[in-house]
Amino acid sequence: MTSARDSSEWDPSAQEAAERTARALAETVRRLQAAAARAHAEARTRSAVDLATGILAERLGLPVPEAAAHLARLARESGVPVLALAADIAGLTGPQPEPGQEPEPGAGAGPAPSAFRRPGAEPPEAGPPVAPALAAASDLEHATGAVLDQAAAAFGVRAVAVWQRLPGGALALAAHAGLSAEEAAGWSRVPPGVPTPAQLVVGGGTELWPGEPAADGPSPGGLVARAVVPLLDRRRRRGALELLWPATGPDATPVLGPVQRRELYALADLCVTLLGPPPEPLAPEQAGTLLESLLTPALLLAPAVRAERIADFTVLRVNARFRDPLGRPREAVEGASLLETYPVASAAGLFDRLLRAYETGVPSTAERVRLAFREHGPAVPVAVLLSVVPLGDRMLVCWRLDDEREEDEQVALLRQAQRLARVAGFEERPAEGRIRWSDGLRELYGLPSDAPPVPLDRLVGHTHPDDRPAIRRLLDTVRHHHRTASAVVRLDRPDGTHRFTRVIAEPVVDETGRLVAVRGAYHDVSAQHWTEVALGATRERLADSEQESAERAQLALRLQQAILPAAPPPLAVTGLHAAVRYRPAAQQDRVGGDWYDVLVLPDRRVLLAVGDVAGHGVGAATGMVALRHALRGLAVTGAGPGRLLAWANTVALREPGQVTATAVCVLVDPVGGELRWARAGHLPPIRLGAAGAQVLPLPHGVLLGALDDAEYEEYTARLDPGDVLLLYTDGLVERRDRPVEESVEQLLRAAGAPGPDLEQYLDRLLELSPADTDDDTCLIAVQTE
């Protein structure tokens, strides 16, 4: 049975609590003793500050407030306490005299000459005196009280508030005098965006004076008259000093003349000094770590000060993700002047945004602006997401092209193009066990939307048994010989139907020659296959008909009309204008192999293609259909013209009868004016501009269907505004008695300049054509605006 513990027994927990209490009391006593010692020392040395302020006022001819501000500024720049500098100026050494006593004559070495250098213009007339003891205030709260005491006597001020800017743009009530505790607590923090007079001034506006409309915004005190001046530290706005007057009547608005305003500026300088030093700049290693940790392109800038103003910014560093819009290397940007490196972008608003953020300290994040970058040629504004963040004495700038909306549009266009062309892409990485399918591939297989992708190794299980050897040859070519291959197979679908599909695959190898991925595309050619079947059946039926010749002529005309459109697609969205002409051979029952294509790609580039399949008749037409559809379907992958012709060569080799053809493939970038082209034994494009007609160079490239591993070289050029690009087949210029080059030169000289009407120009070319062969003719003309 337990009993209650006697109160006289020793309790360890009580003993520990008593010891903690004793330690806390001892610490409190020591803190109070230290505070008393500081107050005593301040009282002993305050006379030195008063004396030094008077000396500066007398020697420099300054009003007392400006002399006190000058003393505080000197202490801050020299890195010594105000009291120590005041003792040096007053010539006091050793222990300081008690308040009210005068220093002994001749004591000390006297003030440094720089202390009496006059800051600014000639002194104004003497104004209402402000006590010099303000410079010796031990903290900002005491200084604010002194400001109120003196400003109340001089100007009739009722309350004073000192605002300090916080990171992010908010304001904190750092000190106040004349406000109630409840009101100060309610205004302890002002969020960014609240249009108080102090926020307007700190955010970059000019100082406000009583009676101005902007000074009537929400503010503490419930008073209607106020003055607000910024707290400037090396041109950076660290806060604001706000003075408030009582509302005693409509005519009671105080009037502050130049003298009174200068004294308020001096008081603001003192408040800046007592706010403490500004944040230290980032160390180089910290800056490097910060930049490289960002996921967006970023620059670190430092202000370049000339004649006491920020005249430029210097690019200290850029991170690894930064790409110069003008293509210059990283070394050419680091250490360079911002205005010299990006003059057009700076003039378009970049410099003003940097300067405003530096002076106000308010960051701006993900601001959508339009900037222009130019080295040669016209400057094209682009949308940029810009973020500017002050970091001490540095500026962090992040920008990236605002391509999110454009990417969404491109994705939508790509999906639409894939759906129309019935093309879907894939990529396999065997080492990682990862397979990626684009939209539409599951539909082609007849699989549900959540079904896992089918690897190429299992493709044979989804095809007709007769097509499985072709799949095995494709896999062997890609994986073991590291060459691109294609095959047309019949995909067996779960519903019992099948799709005729062209599978194109290419290997991706690393620098050691090891296969790391296989990527390619599936092209649903069922419609083409059934068209060929229908054409074959029609041909067999017509062979037994007495009207075979007439019906074949009619079939040829309809086939030409179905394959080749009468007009190009609208190109207004790209800023280009196109015109086409197709002139069949004189014998209309001979279906030719000439073809052309104009296609707007998902990335808004324009594909131009002209080709000529060898031979005539339905065989040449079906070969033309295969090549034209292959280029249209594969162009949506974003490949260049050389790669597109290489793929078309693979298609030509796999076609029945091994089709051979010439072709020229051009990709035009309407934004930059760049064009890239490749050719397969075809005549080169012609550029018509202000300097006349120019036949573009001939890149290397053999006929389609001639060699198994053919490679096609690419060339690039530019189209200036108003230039015309002309593509054509040899039926326009071929003669039996002269070289083609001479016929081209004669035709261009006779036709003259294109003029604004492309349709009329193409008609003129056909009319003046020197050709004497019985061959089809295709023409495409594209003009930049």
Side-chain angles (χ1 to χ4, degrees), residues 256-269:
L256 301 180
V259 175
Q260 290 84 0
R261 294 186 180 188
R262 287 195 59 175
E263 295 203 0
L264 288 183
Y265 295 145
L267 295 176
D269 287 343

Side-chain angles (χ1 to χ4, degrees), residues 599 601 605-608 635 638-641 644 665-669 674-678 714:
L599 179 65
L601 300 178
R605 294 184 301 170
V606 178
L607 171 70
L608 307 175
L644 292 178
C665 183
V666 182
L667 287 176
V668 180
D669 182 4
E674 182 187 57
L675 60 90
R676 298 164 56 195
W677 75 93
E714 292 184 6

Side-chain angles (χ1 to χ4, degrees), residues 549-759:
S549 177
E551 291 181 6
R552 286 180 62 86
Q554 190 68 21
L555 173 65
L557 290 177
R558 291 179 179 178
L559 186 60
Q560 289 174 348
Q561 295 170 358
I563 295 173
L564 299 179
L571 302 180
V573 67
T574 65
L576 301 176
H577 174 59
V580 298
R581 288 292 185 274
Y582 176 75
R583 182 176 64 184
Q587 300 180 19
Q588 294 188 355
D589 62 333
R590 296 176 59 199
V591 180
D594 286 22
W595 57 274
Y596 63 87
D597 204 0
V598 179
L599 179 65
V600 180
L601 300 178
D603 57 0
R604 296 193 180 182
R605 294 184 301 170
V606 178
L607 171 70
L608 307 175
V610 167
D612 186 359
V613 178
H616 292 82
V618 177
T622 56
M624 171 187 66
V625 172
L627 294 178
R628 183 172 181 269
H629 279 277
L631 281 179
R632 287 180 68 89
L634 295 170
V636 301
T637 63
R643 171 60 69 183
L644 292 178
L645 289 181
W647 285 338
N649 181 61
T650 303
V651 172
L653 289 170
R654 302 300 185 270
E655 282 295 312
Q658 193 169 348
V659 174
T660 59
T662 68
V664 60
C665 183
V666 182
L667 287 176
V668 180
D669 182 4
V671 176
E674 182 187 57
L675 60 90
R676 298 164 56 195
W677 75 93
R679 58 180 285 273
H682 200 86
L683 297 173
I686 298 174
R687 180 175 57 190
L688 303 159
Q694 177 188 7
V695 178
L696 297 179
L698 287 171
H700 174 72
V702 300
L703 291 171
L704 298 178
L707 296 177
D708 193 14
D709 294 327
E711 295 183 357
Y712 296 90
E713 189 178 11
E714 292 184 6
Y715 282 172
T716 61
R718 288 187 57 83
L719 284 180
D720 294 328
D723 285 359
V724 174
L725 184 68
L726 181 66
L727 307 181
Y728 54 98
T729 58
D730 55 7
L732 180 69
V733 293
E734 188 176 27
R735 289 185 61 87
R736 300 181 179 89
D737 58 350
R738 70 178 68 169
V740 173
E741 293 79 3
E742 292 183 12
S743 298
V744 171
E745 182 180 357
Q746 173 189 345
L747 177 61
L748 295 177
R749 186 168 55 250
D757 191 341
L758 285 184
E759 305 285 344

Side-chain angles (χ1 to χ4, degrees), residues 382-402:
V382 295
V384 174
L385 283 179
L386 180 68
S387 297
V388 180
V389 180
L391 296 176
D393 200 34
R394 299 289 186 263
M395 297 291 291
L396 179 64
V397 179
C398 301
W399 73 38
R400 67 180 178 87
L401 297 181
D402 184 16

Side-chain angles (χ1 to χ4, degrees), residues 79 119 402 511 526 697:
D402 184 16
E511 60 275 5
S526 300

